[in-house]
Amino acid sequence: MTPADSEFETLHLARIRSLVPAEALGDISDLLENGLLTVTPRGCMLTPAGFERHEELLARWRNMIDGARLATTYERFLAVNQPVKDLCSRWQVEGKDDEALFMTVEDLSEILDRAGSALRRAAGVVPRFGTYPPRLQAALDAAREGDGRFITDPRVDSIHNVWFECHEDYLLSLGRSREEEGSF
Amino acid sequence: MATVSGTTVAAREAAGRYVFAFADGGGADTAILGGKGAGLAHMTSLGLPVPPGFVVSCRAGRDYLLAGQLPGEAKSEIEAHIQQLETAIGRRLGDLTSPLLVSVRSGAPVSMPGMMDTILNVGLNAGTVQALGRETGNEDFAWSCYERFVETYARVVRGISPSEIEDCMMDLGDRASRADVLAALLALVEEQGGSAVPDEPHDQILEAAGAVFRSWDSPRAKAYRRFRGIDDELCTAATVQAMVFGNRGETSGSGVAFTRDPSSGAPEPFGDVLFNAQGEDVVAGERDAEPLSVLAARLPDADQQLRQALGLIEADTRDLCEVEFTIEDGVLWVLQTRVGLRSGRAAVRVAVALVEEGRITIDEAIDRITPAQLEAAAAPSFASEPRAEHVIARGLAASPGAATGTAVFDPGRATELAAEGTDVILVRPTTSPSDVAGFIAARAIVTGRGGRTSHAAVVARGMHRPAVCGIGEVLISEDRRSAALAGVTVREGDVLSVDGDRGLLLRAKHEFDQPANDPAVRTFSSWCAERVQVTAPSGSPLEELRVIDTLADLESSATSAILDLSDPTEVPPADLAKALVQHTGPAPFLRISQKWLGAADVRLRGRVRGIEVPSSATSGGLLRATLEQA
């Protein structure tokens, strides 16, 4: 990975997650020095300059990847996007007991299995997409162990959080917006 | 037993029958027909317009799993019932003009929701798909039904894994036509699934019923049975039912109706209808549904049928119900009914109304209300429907509650201002993960696009923030200090109110309603108070209970009473209930000092369920008991 690649990946992660613990970003001393990142008590975030720099690197990066192949996997990701959101929503509205958790985990595991196929292929185009399946699996495992926060709680690395980030990564990587595809 | 036609389902089963029409009679034959089948038979017996069908019994399922095939008698009974079904609905399987399509569903004697399989659109093939396209005037819809049918067939009937199907789809690339996709799926079934998907609808039905029975032994269903301690020997039934289509033109439609308003509890039918659409279109929210009230003018017969059905359903369940319906060429069909989800406020109001209408007892009413609902009923809301000039925009009531604060359009800015102690209302066009930090900081959330299942709604409910979604276009200025919200200009710092119960974004601060002002909540609380009983451990007279303070609950904003039990005699036991209600309002949380609880065997009897260890945020080491029936 060239320094520019690594700069892009770091800024990209900060863009997607908004607030990232510094230790998740590796060596960021240059980025802090150049005023692209700023440290807050709750984590690192992009400065307006960092935002602009990311846009610039992103546009350049998009020209280097096989966008059409990535887009094919995105179509399959989108096909299960609504069911995942519906299950998350159902969990919040109806589910608070062990049985609801059991069923939510069962239903999600089947859908995430489907999404896994798409994400593995996406990782063949953009390796970063390979980071999502293990995180989804870890959240699913934690939920299966009985910790319901790992379904939708925004404050842990929950399935909804990871899914949401993965969706955002796709949108940024493909240069699309939620508005134009009607997916919120 | 008298004549053959008067014979019960149970007697017929005892005589060797495997298959029963919905119209064969209701009765509680869940053990024979499974929950789904018995439910449809029950609805049919109430006089509801249920699409006709029949049930292949649980016993047939057990025999299938033992022998690996359906008993010969079961097959011929199925054939006979298919003929009856064709006559009842006036369509025939495989017909190239108006084909009959059916669903084949699972349904065990014990509820195992979503654990077993269902196959829709059985009866489609290269010929009938064209007829469906002509009849609905929508070729795309017909082919997508066919595609989903073949995909389900591959997975459920032939056991091809979802990831194999996904790989097959992605190998096609994204320029594949509908015909390519279908051809690929059909080829996959033929290569990986033993043989081709049968064209003959009768064969499809038999194979689908077998697959439904086999799904009883899927790993998922087995895991669920272990979890719930359900007997492995029960088996599922297979329900075959005519499919109806709400997208056959402008006199067709689909919708969801509640027997009462699930948000406010008002005793009026409530719901959405979408003309010329299937049920999933209503749920997906991609097209705007219209309120149920338009039905009276557009399809008065169907409206009349629906009102009658809602009345029958509520009289039967004695509770607020949610009903899925389809109107096909002006004729109403009831697809599904269930007890409806409702807001905390509606739960209390409906329970009180049902008591007042003489439908349920006070004890039933109290048993129906969960602590969470009572808590929600006691959460602040805005006093009354605001004046029209205050309404900036209307959207979806995505997360309940009410909040007031200053308008902010940037998540980072929201975090900054909140850190300075400002109450912030965050308004965004849509949401992305990078907005979540701003969500945490905000008192309430508003989005321009997205429905009740949008990311914003999910996150807001997860954090108990009121939210209104889908208010219309949100255009934020370059400097992010002002925005046009559905055409109305709002600047950062303007005071806004968000009404997550009514789905309103309002200008200015509005008066909160104290929950005690809701007569239903007051009535309900008085019923609860009459039933509060607290028993102290032996040797600790109840007289030691003393209300020393009240405390706003940090999470719920309900008020709690702190009872100090170590210091003797201030509140006589007879007054305890009164004191509790007085101090805590309608959501009585009893906080009892840690010392007292730790020291002895505390038993809170009567309307007390569970004692929760509070979060670290609760000072003073207090435990909380939620008062309700033990």
Side-chain angles (χ1 to χ4, degrees), chain B residues 242-433:
Chain B
M243 293 197 52
V244 290
F245 292 88
N247 55 355
R248 292 196 199 274
E250 290 305 316
T251 57
S252 297
S254 293
V256 176
F258 291 81
T259 55
R260 298 172 192 239
D261 186 328
S263 169
S264 71
E268 270 296 304
F270 174 94
D272 293 328
V273 59
L274 199 53
F275 292 99
N276 195 16
Q278 278 290 78
E280 60 258 33
D281 305 332
V282 181
V283 181
E286 277 169 22
R287 285 169 50 192
D288 289 331
E290 299 184 58
L292 213 51
S293 48
V294 303
L295 205 52
R298 283 195 53 178
L299 297 171
D301 287 350
D303 183 64
Q304 203 51 42
Q305 291 160 15
L306 180 62
R307 283 173 184 276
Q308 197 184 352
L310 294 176
L312 288 171
I313 290 162
E314 211 184 77
D316 184 53
T317 57
R318 305 179 306 134
D319 202 352
L320 180 158
C321 285
E322 181 184 350
V323 180
E324 278 174 41
F325 66 89
T326 282
I327 301 166
E328 190 180 57
D329 294 328
V331 177
L332 178 89
W333 296 102
V334 170
L335 305 183
Q336 228 186 110
T337 76
R338 64 177 85 86
V339 167
L341 286 175
R342 64 204 74 180
S343 69
R345 269 186 260 287
V348 174
R349 286 180 191 161
V350 168
V352 170
L354 289 170
V355 170
E356 284 166 355
E357 291 164 25
R359 303 217 200 181
I360 61 173
T361 64
I362 290 179
D363 278 325
E364 282 177 291
I366 293 175
D367 288 348
R368 281 184 185 179
I369 303 300
T370 65
Q373 285 172 325
L374 197 51
E375 199 170 335
S381 64
F382 291 124
S384 49
E385 185 76 25
R387 290 209 307 276
E389 65 264 32
H390 286 143
V391 178
I392 295 173
R394 288 172 192 271
L396 293 165
S399 182
T404 291
T406 68
V408 175
F409 311 102
D410 179 73
R413 185 85 179 122
T415 316
E416 266 173 51
L417 288 173
E420 294 166 10
T422 309
D423 286 343
V424 166
I425 306 289
L426 180 62
V427 185
R428 299 288 297 152
T430 65
T431 42
S432 75

Side-chain angles (χ1 to χ4, degrees), chain B residues 68-89:
Chain B
Q69 58 173 344
L70 276 170
E73 300 93 311
K75 283 191 199 165
S76 44
E77 284 179 46
I78 290 173
E79 285 307 323
H81 276 90
I82 288 175
Q83 278 188 19
Q84 273 184 34
L85 181 53
E86 289 177 332
T87 312
I89 196 126

